[in-house]
Amino acid sequence: AQKVTQAQTEISVVEKEDVTLDCVYETRDTTYYLFWYKQPPSGELVFLIRRNSFDEQNEISGRYSWNFQKSTSSFNFTITASQVVDSAVYFCALSGQGAQKLVFGQGTRLTINP
Amino acid sequence: EAGVAQSPRYKIIEKRQSVAFWCNPISGHATLYWYQQILGQGPKLLIQFQNNGVVDDSQLPKDRFSAERLKGVDSTLKIQPAKLEDSAVYLCASSLSSGGEETQYFGPGTRLLVL
């Protein structure tokens, strides 16, 4: 069975600090896909990134970066120079090949204080 | 391009009453999903449609929940009768197709409170 663990339930930092959200996954599939979503207070899940299991290149998008390591089954998310607008719940999710459902972690509530 | 639309945004009902939620996916998206998100948890898939056929409803409590997507576009999720534990946010999502590699795009959700 597939499983996603986000061990950090809540994180609180001061604006401009860097923060890393951890995600550890379990799967027996050789091909799988990892996702990060942001859920602001409005409630809508906003897609941030998708990663294929065969592409271990790290990715950077502005202040956001993602570190994918198959050896440790981790897909961590770093926000550099955090801003108050980054405050939200962040979810890591996993799916396999075929018509497989998306399995979400429990989420990490990130609070950026001014 | 318009995103996933859902209505209503909020609903308060008494237990044992019935309630229905509506979802309109992104145009051209063949796959539609309904998720239940209980406070403090990640979304859990209830049902997945590919066009108007059901792909996965293994976690749908079929004694009280039903869903349909008659013309392969809009979908309705119904709860009858509602229980206190059904209080949650119901999220609709859509994707181009049903493959695991497809990105799912979510609507704003319907917050249900059962009293």
Side-chain angles (χ1 to χ4, degrees), chain B residues 2-3 20 23 37-38 48 57-59 72-73 81-83 94 104 108 110-112:
Chain B
C23 173
Q37 185 179 17
I38 293 173
Q48 176 182 346
D57 64 356
S58 57
Q59 298 191 91
V73 181
K83 292 185 175 182
S94 70
Q104 297 182 26
T110 297
R111 294 179 185 269
L112 173 67

Side-chain angles (χ1 to χ4, degrees), chain A residues 45-62:
Chain A
L45 278 163
V46 178
F47 166 72
L48 295 177
I49 190 171
R50 181 188 72 197
R51 213 78 188 122
N52 306 324
S53 56
F54 43 86
D55 181 2
E56 286 194 70
Q57 269 194 325
N58 290 330
E59 181 151 342
I60 299 174
S61 176

Side-chain angles (χ1 to χ4, degrees), chain A residues 33 35 37 39-47 50 52 91 95-107 109, chain B residues 4 9 35 37 40-45 48 55-56 58-59 89 91 98-108 111:
Chain A
Y33 306 89
F35 300 80
Y37 284 86
Q39 189 172 41
S42 60
E44 184 171 345
L45 278 163
V46 178
F47 166 72
R50 181 188 72 197
N52 306 324
F91 289 96
S95 69
Q97 274 189 308
Q100 294 200 33
K101 63 185 177 186
L102 199 55
V103 174
F104 285 84
Q106 293 286 81
R109 180 176 297 279
Chain B
V4 177
R9 291 296 311 277
Y35 288 85
Q37 185 179 17
Q41 298 182 17
K44 182 187 80 172
L45 180 70
Q48 176 182 346
V55 174
D56 183 352
S58 57
Q59 298 191 91
V89 176
L91 294 162
S98 62
E101 73 280 9
E102 292 293 340
T103 296
Q104 297 182 26
Y105 296 92
F106 287 78
R111 294 179 185 269

